Amino acid sequence: MVKVKRKRREKPRRHSAKAGLPPGTMMFIGEQEMNTARVDLIDYNESQLEELRDVSVDRCGKPANSPGVRWINVNGIHNVGLIESLGKSLDLHPLTLEDIVNTTHRPKAEMFPRYIYVVLKMISYDEAENRAEIEHISLVLGENYVVSFQEKEGDVFNMVRERLRTSKGPIRSMKADYLAYTLMDAVVDNYFLAVERIGDRIEELDDRILIKPKPDDLQEVHRLKRDILSLRKAVWPLREEIGALEKSESSLIRSETKLFLRDLYDHTIQIIDMVETFRDVLGSVHDTFLSSMSNRMNEVMKVLTIVATIFIPLTFIAGVYGMNFENMPELKWPWGYFIVLGVMLVTGFGMLGYFWKKKWL
C-alpha cells in the first residue's frame, strides 16, 4: 500500500452526533481529515484509456451509453459537499450518500434499481506503529461505471490501475461489474498480508513469552487482540456481502463475473479461518503468559521460603544465646562461641542437603 504523509487530524466525530436527525441526513462520522478531497477519473475500453487527476464534479456525471467503462475514485469523504454534488450527478439515493460519509458502517451490499452499493473495510498493516489500520471504502456499481469512495489518499488499488494502463489480463475487455470485482479482490488480497503479519507477531510473542516473559508482553497481547477483533468485525460481514452479490439477480452483475465472485467468497472464508485461528492462539498465548509469570513467582517464593526456613533455626540459636541471663553455663566456656557457630553451620548445611535430597532445589 502506498503510504502518504498526512496532516494532523481533528478529533473523530462519533455516531451519537446524528441522534435525532432525519434519515438521509449527510454528516461525516469518523476522523476529520485536514487534507483536500480529490476526484480522479479513468475512462477506458478495450483499445483506449484516459486517466485524469483532480477533476471537477461536472466531469464525473453518468457516462453516455458506450462500450467503455468509467472509474471515478474519490479521496476524502470528509468533504460532504463534494459527495453530495457527486451523488446528485449520479442520481444516488440519499440513504446511500448518508452511508458513504459514515465510516462506522459494517460491510454490506444494497441493491437499487439503477446501481449496487457496496461497503468494504480496507485493512493495511502499519509497520511503524505495529498495528492494523482500517479504512472505510464504498463502491457504487452502475451500468457502465464504478465509483469508489475512500477516507484518504493511498490505497491498495495501484495494481488495478497498472493493469488498466498496460491492458494486462481481461480487465479492459470486461464490463463495470468486473472492475468492481477487481477492486474488491484487491481489498481482500490485502487482508492476507495484514493477517499474516499479525500471525508473525503472535509467533514472535509466543516464543518470547516461553523464554522470558515480561510485563510489557501483556500489553502486546491486548493490542493484538484488538487488531484481531477489528479484523473479525470487518471480515465476517464481508462473507454475507459477497454471497449476496454472487446470488444477486441484478442485471448489473453478469454471469461470467459471478464465477469470480465465487472465488472471492472462498478467499473470504480462508481469511475468516485464519482470523479465528489466530484469535484462539492469542487466547492460548495469554494463558501461557499468566502461567509463565505465575511459575516465575513460584520460583522466587520457593527460594525465599528455603532461605527463610534455613535461617529460622539459626535465628533461634542466636536468640537463645543473645539473652542476658547470668546463669547460662555456656557463656563461660572458652570455646562456646565457636561451638555455637559450628552447630549453626551444621544445621544450615544439613537442611540444604535435605532439601537437595528431596529435589526442592
Side-chain angles (χ1 to χ4, degrees), residues 42-51 68-69 164 167 172:
I42 297 180
D43 281 330
Y44 68 90
N45 54 37
E46 194 168 358
S47 59
Q48 298 179 4
L49 182 140
E50 181 184 13
E51 185 173 358
V69 176
L164 286 171
S167 190
R172 291 268 291 268

Side-chain angles (χ1 to χ4, degrees), residues 178-246:
Y178 185 82
L179 174 61
Y181 152 75
T182 306
L183 298 178
M184 296 176 65
D185 184 60
V187 171
V188 172
D189 283 346
N190 209 58
Y191 285 6
F192 284 101
L193 301 179
V195 173
E196 289 173 0
R197 186 64 189 93
I198 291 176
D200 294 339
R201 283 178 58 194
I202 293 174
E203 291 181 4
E204 295 170 2
L205 181 62
D206 192 22
D207 294 338
R208 189 165 68 244
I209 286 176
L210 289 175
I211 297 173
K212 190 178 180 180
K214 297 182 295 184
D216 292 343
D217 293 334
L218 185 59
Q219 297 180 6
E220 181 72 7
V221 169
H222 286 295
R223 281 196 295 267
L224 288 169
K225 279 188 173 182
R226 285 196 295 268
D227 286 345
I228 288 294
L229 180 60
S230 299
L231 284 169
R232 191 172 186 270
K233 290 170 64 176
V235 174
W236 268 96
L238 186 60
R239 180 182 63 172
E240 302 174 3
E241 174 183 340
I242 297 175
L245 291 174
E246 181 190 350

Side-chain angles (χ1 to χ4, degrees), residues 165-182:
R165 294 175 187 134
T166 60
S167 190
K168 185 177 180 180
I171 187 169
R172 291 268 291 268
S173 61
M174 301 291 280
K175 300 297 183 181
D177 56 341
Y178 185 82
L179 174 61
Y181 152 75
T182 306

Side-chain angles (χ1 to χ4, degrees), residues 273-341:
D273 291 341
M274 294 172 65
V275 169
E276 293 300 322
T277 299
F278 288 145
R279 187 184 180 204
D280 294 339
V281 171
L282 266 179
S284 300
V285 171
H286 185 267
D287 294 340
T288 301
F289 172 81
L290 295 179
S291 299
S292 298
M293 295 299 291
S294 179
N295 290 337
R296 290 188 64 190
M297 182 62 68
N298 290 339
E299 290 293 327
V300 172
M301 293 303 298
K302 184 178 73 172
V303 172
L304 294 178
T305 302
I306 290 174
V307 172
T309 303
I310 292 174
F311 275 89
I312 284 175
L314 305 185
T315 305
F316 172 76
I317 296 173
V320 169
Y321 289 102
M323 294 184 294
N324 295 321
F325 291 117
E326 293 185 0
N327 297 323
M328 293 183 69
E330 297 90 346
L331 297 179
K332 304 298 182 178
W333 291 357
W335 298 96
Y337 171 72
F338 301 101
I339 292 173
V340 171
L341 284 181

Side-chain angles (χ1 to χ4, degrees), residues 69-83:
V69 176
R70 171 168 292 180
W71 175 17
I72 304 170
N73 183 64
V74 181
N75 294 311
I77 59 176
H78 59 280
N79 190 333
V80 176
L82 174 66
I83 304 301

Side-chain angles (χ1 to χ4, degrees), residues 78-119:
H78 59 280
N79 190 333
V80 176
L82 174 66
I83 304 301
E84 186 176 13
S85 299
L86 183 60
K88 289 180 179 178
S89 65
L90 296 174
D91 196 21
L92 301 182
H93 195 279
L95 292 178
T96 299
L97 298 177
E98 178 187 7
D99 292 345
I100 289 173
V101 296
N102 185 358
T103 63
T104 63
H105 250 301
R106 68 194 298 269
K108 64 176 182 178
E110 292 183 341
M111 312 297 170
F112 290 87
R114 293 181 298 276
Y115 65 90
I116 297 176
Y117 175 59
V118 176
V119 179

